[in-house]
């Protein structure tokens, strides 16, 4: 692509670290228009709706459904939501707008964008590609799990509604009896999980087949680039909203729905004083918008240069937040129904035990005043009040029935989707229908995000390597095949522990580092003012100047703070994972073994290496180019000197070592002049650019024709 010279600037700090001769280009629509074949042949979205659906589909993923509700519930409910909105406006929207504008201006993937600003920044794009590949590896495993559950939803009753019977003893399976039908089905039937990460125990053949099917779907959806994936987006991006609305309407009719909503939105403003709450809110903003992956840049690079990317940033960010709120409503409506059913069942069981002892204890002063023989007439609040005063006197068999405690069980990640939600849907009328609908929604959420993640890998590679660009289909299929082969790590019986490891460590720190460098590159290296100038040319109006200060100070300092907080948390808290204990039928928190810690370290370091490697490589290359330019300048100076009249004598001296030695004894000015000419002739000889001037010395030309080895002596 044609490069424009840098704009004059008085801010030396924005480019002082660039080497002499380093091209610092300005990117703008005028340049894109003249970008040659690369810009003219680039695919484009068929419509604005197609593009918006793709961006929304990528940014709205599984994290909106099972991560945001958990964080909102754990960190102050409504207070956390207000904090999230503040950080979204101050940090999320500016960074999202920055990536959209950069991709749309330069019309390349993540590698090309940062390489275009400065070749020293090319490593940022490669780091983004590596992180995208990491995420794609384990994200597609979640899609495989959704396929497995969706396939098992086409039967009545659902296989996780009841505990199976052990044929040997004709009793309920002990592992299921000690936990729950949904937990047993998830850990034993779906994952067939081991007791720790150190036990591999071979592959799970069913999950291996599901993973192969998941990668095949991704390959078919991506095989024709954005043309094929965009058509899939029409369904995969819209369908989850239809399902969420259906679930919300159905959930509001359930007993316990209002308790769930109240539990979620009850504000606890005191949580704002905790650093951990701010860290989790910033991290959720960061990952919810998909910053740093390169997918946002890749999608926006297929836009026309006059597209209003500022409006897109506000719109997609708003849709993302509203989706999180909608998903939270659905989750806690359903969880409220589940928790109230479990709590009422607990009250009924305890009242039944009390009824059995009524003949012995009914005269005791602590005996409840309500009718123990009619559990339906006793509310949860009445029972909890009685238990708080007299529960200890009623004996060890009488337990507490806490609605809040039940609300807090299994509401994050896979625990929400594959345990808590499946348990709630088993209580629905026509449960197979609702189960199929739910897992089809998870499948579409995962696929839309997966398409964006793969686009963040393929687009930069095709933009920067013409051979790969000419063989898009081969590259897509090969990438998916490689992803499947490496993904076999996650289909072991211990594979779920590796999914947790990748989710916790492979993307978090590397992505934050990538975004820190992106923000610094745009706001300080290229210059925030110049970037706003380019956007003004592109949009025909200038964005508010507040973006300049948000990019240069607020966003950058916030990302650095988040990076430091994440690193300190890793050092001060030994990394652990949650393992399933088959003997106790419960989950235990275990420390990672030494080899797993080494693997975590490698997962963090590898994606960050391209940044320093790219900087060092570009520095060394630019120094070599500087030396070549110096030699070219010397040759040009030599040509100018020899071309003047009366300098034949000087050239004769350059061709004779004896005369050159004599010249060293002359006056200082003449000596410097003679040595300069001698150096010129040597450079010109080696470079072959002063051949015409060597013709002034016929004896030298004859020597060259007679014996080529005498060239150095002649000089």
């Amino acid at each position: 692509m044609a490069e424009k010279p840098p704009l004059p600037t008085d801010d030396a700090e924005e480019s002082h670290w660039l080497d002499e001769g380093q091209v610092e280009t300005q990117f703008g629509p005028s340049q894109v228009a003249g970008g040659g074949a690369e810009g003219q042949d680039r695919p484009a979205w068929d419509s604005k709706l197609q593009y918006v659906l793709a961006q929304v589909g990528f940014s709205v993923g599984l994290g909106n459904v099972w991560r945001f509700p958990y964080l909102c519930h754990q960190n102050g409910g409504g207070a956390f939501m207000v904090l999230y909105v503040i950080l979204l406006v101050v940090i999320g929207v500016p960074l999202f707008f920055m990536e959209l504008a950069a991709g749309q201006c330069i019309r390349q993937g993540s590698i090309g964008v940062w390489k275009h600003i400065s070749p020293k920044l090319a490593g940022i794009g490669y780091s983004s590609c590596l992180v995208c590949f990491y995420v794609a590896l384990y994200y597609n495993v979640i899609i495989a799990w959704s396929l497995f559950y969706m396939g098992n939803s086409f039967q009545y009753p659902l296989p996780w509604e009841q505990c199976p019977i052990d044929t040997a003893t004709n009793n309920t399976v002990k592992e299921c009896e000690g936990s729950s039908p949904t937990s047993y089905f998830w850990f034993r039937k779906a994952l067939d999980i081991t007791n720790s990460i150190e036990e591999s125990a071979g592959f799970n053949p069913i999950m291996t087949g599901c993973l192969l099917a998941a990668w095949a779907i991704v390959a078919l959806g991506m095989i024709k680039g954005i043309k094929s994936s965009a058509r899939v987006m029409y369904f995969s991006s819209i369908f989850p909203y239809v399902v969420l609305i259906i679930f919300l309407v159905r959930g509001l009719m359930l007993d316990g729905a209002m308790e769930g909503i109240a539990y979620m939105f009850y504000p606890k403003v005191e949580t704002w004083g905790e650093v951990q709450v701010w860290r989790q809110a910033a991290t959720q903003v960061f990952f919810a918008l998909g910053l740093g992956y390169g997918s946002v840049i890749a999608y926006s690079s297929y836009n026309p240069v006059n597209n209003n990317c500022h409006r897109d940033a506000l719109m997609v960010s708003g849709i993302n937040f509203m989706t999180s709120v909608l998903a939270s409503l659905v989750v806690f409506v359903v969880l409220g129904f589940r928790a109230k059913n479990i709590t009422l069942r607990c009250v009924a069981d305890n009242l039944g035990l009390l009824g059995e002892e009524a003949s012995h204890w009914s005269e005791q002063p602590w005996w409840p005043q309500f009718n123990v023989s009619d559990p339906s007439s006793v509310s949860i609040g009445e029972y909890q009040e009685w238990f708080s005063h007299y529960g200890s006197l009623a004996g060890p068999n009488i337990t507490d029935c806490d609605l809040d405690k039940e609300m807090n069980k299994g509401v994050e990640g896979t625990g929400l989707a594959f345990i808590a939600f499946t348990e709630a849907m088993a209580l629905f009328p026509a449960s197979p229908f609702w189960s199929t609908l739910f897992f089809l929604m998870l499948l579409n959420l995962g696929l839309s995000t997966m398409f964006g993640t793969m686009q963040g890998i393929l687009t930069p590679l095709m933009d920067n390597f013409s051979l790969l660009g000419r063989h898009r289909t081969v590259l897509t299929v090969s990438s998916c095949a490689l992803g499947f082969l490496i993904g076999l790590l996650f289909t072991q019986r211990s594979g779920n522990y590796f999914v947790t490891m990748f989710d916790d460590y492979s993307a978090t720190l590397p992505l934050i580092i990538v975004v820190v460098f992106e923000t610094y590159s745009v706001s300080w290296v290229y210059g925030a003012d110049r970037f706003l100038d380019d956007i003004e040319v592109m949009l025909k109006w200038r964005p508010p100047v507040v973006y300049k200060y948000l990019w240069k100070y607020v966003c950058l300092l916030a990302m650095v703070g988040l990076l430091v907080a994440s690193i300190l948390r890793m050092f001060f808290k030994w990394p652990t994972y949650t393992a399933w204990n088959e003997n106790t039928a419960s989950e235990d928190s275990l420390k990672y073994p030494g080899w797993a810690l080494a693997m975590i370290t490698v997962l963090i370091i590898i994606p960050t290496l391209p940044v320093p490697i790219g900087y060092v490589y570009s520095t060394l290359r630019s120094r070599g180019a500087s030396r070549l330019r110096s030699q070219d300048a010397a040759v040009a100076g030599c040509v100018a000197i020899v071309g003047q009249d009366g300098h034949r004598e000087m050239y004769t001296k350059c061709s004779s070592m004896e005369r050159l030695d004599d010249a060293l004894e002359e006056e200082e000015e003449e000596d410097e002049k003679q040595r300069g000419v001698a150096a010129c002739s040597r450079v010109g000889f080696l470079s072959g650019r002063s051949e015409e001037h060597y013709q002034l010395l016929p004896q030298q030309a004859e020597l060259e024709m007679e014996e080529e080895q005498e060239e150095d002596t002649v000089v």
Side-chain angles (χ1 to χ4, degrees):
M1 300 177 68
E3 294 181 342
K4 296 172 63 177
L7 294 177
T9 177
D10 296 328
D11 192 356
E13 294 181 356
E14 292 184 356
S15 58
H16 73 277
W17 64 284
L18 296 174
D19 287 344
E20 183 179 356
Q22 175 71 55
V23 177
E24 185 186 358
T25 61
Q26 179 183 8
F27 48 89
S30 58
Q31 176 207 346
V32 174
E38 185 175 352
Q40 296 171 1
D41 298 339
R42 190 171 189 81
W45 300 104
D46 292 337
S47 65
K48 182 62 176 287
L49 176 62
Q50 195 179 74
Y51 163 69
V52 171
L53 288 177
Q55 286 285 19
V56 169
F58 169 69
S59 64
V60 175
L62 297 174
N64 298 76
V65 176
W66 65 31
R67 180 66 177 166
F68 182 85
Y70 168 78
L71 293 176
C72 187
H73 159 249
Q74 291 291 103
N75 297 298
F80 177 83
M81 198 168 291
V82 174
L83 177 61
Y84 179 85
V85 172
I86 293 173
L87 294 178
L88 179 67
V89 172
V90 175
I91 299 175
V93 172
L95 293 178
F96 192 64
F97 175 44
M98 180 188 74
E99 290 198 357
L100 288 178
Q104 185 171 305
C105 280
I106 301 179
R107 304 200 74 193
Q108 287 198 30
S110 56
I111 297 176
V113 164
W114 307 115
K115 187 177 181 180
H116 190 78
I117 295 178
S118 172
K120 291 184 178 181
L121 305 177
I124 298 176
Y126 288 102
S127 291
S128 295
C129 288
L130 285 174
V131 174
C132 276
F133 188 65
Y134 276 173
V135 172
L137 289 177
Y138 75 84
Y139 209 89
N140 225 21
V141 178
I142 302 175
I143 296 177
W145 294 342
S146 301
L147 285 172
F148 174 78
Y149 266 82
M150 189 174 69
N152 280 276
S153 298
F154 294 99
Q155 50 185 305
Y156 185 81
L158 293 172
W160 52 81
E161 284 191 18
Q162 298 176 349
C163 286
I165 303 298
D166 189 346
T167 55
T169 62
N170 203 29
N171 294 323
T172 303
V173 175
K174 184 179 179 181
E175 185 180 2
C176 182
E177 188 177 11
S179 55
S180 68
T182 51
S183 296
Y184 175 79
F185 186 86
W186 167 241
F187 289 112
R188 189 55 50 214
K189 294 297 184 181
L191 301 179
D192 194 17
I193 200 166
T194 58
N195 290 331
S196 72
I197 196 174
E198 297 182 87
E199 304 174 25
S200 174
F203 291 99
N204 184 335
I206 297 178
M207 280 304 166
T208 302
C210 291
L211 181 63
L212 178 61
W215 276 111
I217 294 173
V218 172
L220 291 174
M222 297 290 300
I223 201 166
K224 295 297 183 181
I226 63 170
K227 295 297 183 183
S228 57
S229 62
R231 295 188 184 96
V232 180
M233 287 290 181
Y234 281 114
F235 179 78
S236 63
S237 297
I238 296 176
F239 181 74
Y241 290 96
V242 177
V243 175
L244 286 174
I245 293 173
I246 293 174
F247 264 100
L248 179 60
V249 174
R250 180 67 183 90
L252 289 173
M253 302 177 185
L254 300 173
D255 186 24
M258 292 300 105
E259 286 86 344
I261 293 176
Y263 189 80
M264 171 189 167
F265 286 103
Y266 181 77
K268 301 175 184 176
V269 184
E270 62 272 12
T271 58
W272 282 22
E274 302 176 17
V275 177
Q276 180 73 358
V277 175
W278 286 81
R279 186 189 70 82
Q280 290 186 339
T283 303
Q284 180 61 21
V285 169
F286 182 79
F287 287 107
L289 295 176
L291 301 173
Y293 285 92
S295 304
V296 174
I297 295 175
Y299 275 157
S300 64
S301 69
Y302 298 113
N303 272 332
V305 293
N306 59 350
N307 175 65
N308 192 338
C309 55
H310 182 262
R311 182 176 58 195
D312 295 342
L314 296 175
M315 178 171 56
V316 174
S317 300
I319 293 175
N320 188 293
F321 171 68
M322 295 307 298
T323 304
S324 297
V325 175
L326 175 62
S328 298
L329 285 171
V330 172
V331 166
F332 278 92
V333 161
V334 175
L335 289 182
F337 164 71
R338 165 185 170 270
K340 191 165 185 179
N341 270 272
I342 294 174
T343 307
L344 288 174
R345 191 161 56 241
C346 173
V347 171
D349 292 341
N350 282 285
L351 292 181
L353 293 174
L354 286 173
E356 294 175 1
E357 302 294 336
S359 59
H360 300 91
W361 295 343
S362 59
E363 301 299 327
Q364 297 294 328
W366 51 264
W367 188 256
Q369 300 299 314
F370 44 76
N371 186 6
V372 297
S373 60
D374 185 13
S376 61
S377 65
V378 181
S379 67
I380 297 174
E382 289 177 329
Y383 176 83
Q384 284 184 319
E385 183 179 359
W386 171 83
F387 184 85
S388 63
H389 291 91
Y390 308 110
S392 59
L393 302 175
N397 292 331
I398 306 301
T399 60
D400 187 18
C401 299
D402 190 349
L403 181 63
D404 290 350
K405 184 179 179 181
E406 291 299 330
M407 286 289 299
N408 199 30
K409 287 183 178 179
V411 294
E412 180 190 15
T414 55
L416 169 67
F418 300 107
I419 298 178
F421 226 85
T422 52
E423 184 176 345
M425 288 184 297
L427 301 174
F428 283 15
S431 55
F433 168 77
W434 296 103
S435 179
T436 304
L437 204 61
F438 175 72
F439 288 109
L440 186 59
M441 178 193 72
L442 289 187
L443 178 63
N444 281 274
L445 282 173
L447 284 176
S448 59
T449 302
M450 192 65 188
F451 289 147
T453 304
M454 291 299 295
Q455 203 71 53
I457 301 171
L458 301 178
T459 297
L461 294 178
M462 290 187 294
D463 285 344
N464 288 270
F465 302 99
S466 56
L467 178 63
L468 298 178
R470 291 194 298 269
H471 300 87
R472 176 192 297 272
T473 302
V474 176
L475 175 63
T476 302
V477 174
S478 301
S479 300
C480 292
L482 179 62
F484 168 72
L485 293 177
I486 300 177
L488 293 176
L489 171 71
F490 308 111
T491 61
Q492 302 176 94
R493 291 182 57 193
S494 59
N496 185 51
Y497 304 135
F498 289 98
V499 172
T500 302
M501 178 193 294
F502 271 67
D503 188 33
D504 290 341
Y505 300 105
S506 69
T508 306
L509 285 179
L511 272 182
I512 296 174
I513 293 173
V514 166
V515 175
V516 167
F517 278 105
E518 286 183 358
T519 309
Y520 178 79
S521 301
V522 169
S523 58
W524 291 97
V525 176
Y526 185 75
D529 287 322
R530 292 178 59 189
F531 190 53
L532 290 174
D533 290 340
D534 295 332
I535 296 175
E536 182 179 7
V537 174
M538 183 171 61
L539 302 183
K540 310 304 181 186
W541 59 273
R542 190 176 185 85
V545 72
V546 68
Y547 281 111
K548 170 184 175 180
Y549 300 102
L550 289 175
W551 289 330
K552 295 185 71 171
Y553 305 108
V554 178
C555 294
L556 187 58
L557 292 177
M559 288 295 101
V560 172
L562 181 59
L563 177 63
V564 172
S566 301
I567 294 175
L568 291 177
R569 183 172 180 270
M570 289 184 60
F571 277 103
F572 287 105
K573 184 181 179 181
W574 187 278
T576 59
Y577 66 100
T578 302
W580 176 256
N581 190 318
E582 182 179 1
N583 298 322
T584 61
S586 61
E587 291 181 310
D588 299 326
S589 182
L590 302 179
K591 293 183 178 180
Y592 281 108
W595 63 266
L597 291 178
M599 186 175 178
I600 289 173
T601 304
V602 172
L603 288 176
I604 295 174
I605 291 178
I606 287 181
T608 59
L609 282 179
V611 177
I613 290 176
Y615 180 86
V616 172
Y617 172 76
S618 179
T619 300
L620 296 177
R621 188 175 180 182
S622 63
R623 288 179 180 176
S626 298
R627 286 194 293 268
L628 290 176
R629 284 193 294 269
S630 299
Q631 291 179 358
D632 291 344
V635 171
C638 181
V639 171
I641 293 174
V642 176
Q644 297 176 0
D645 293 333
H647 284 78
R648 179 169 181 170
E649 181 181 355
M650 280 191 254
Y651 233 103
T652 304
K653 292 181 179 181
C654 288
S655 65
S656 171
M657 295 299 296
E658 181 178 354
R659 294 186 181 184
L660 184 60
D661 292 337
D662 294 339
L664 295 175
E665 299 176 357
E666 296 179 2
E667 295 180 1
E668 183 176 354
E669 293 182 359
E670 185 66 15
D671 175 49
E672 293 178 357
K673 189 174 183 180
Q674 295 297 337
R675 280 186 293 178
V677 176
C680 288
S681 62
R682 184 177 292 109
V683 172
F685 179 78
L686 294 175
S687 62
R689 298 185 181 183
S690 300
E691 183 178 355
E692 59 178 335
H693 303 298
Y694 275 92
Q695 294 176 358
L696 297 174
L697 307 176
Q699 67 274 20
Q700 177 182 332
E702 293 175 0
L703 288 173
E704 289 180 356
M705 296 176 61
E706 293 175 358
E707 188 175 359
E708 186 176 354
Q709 296 179 352
E710 295 295 331
E711 290 177 352
D712 292 338
T713 305
V714 172
V715 175

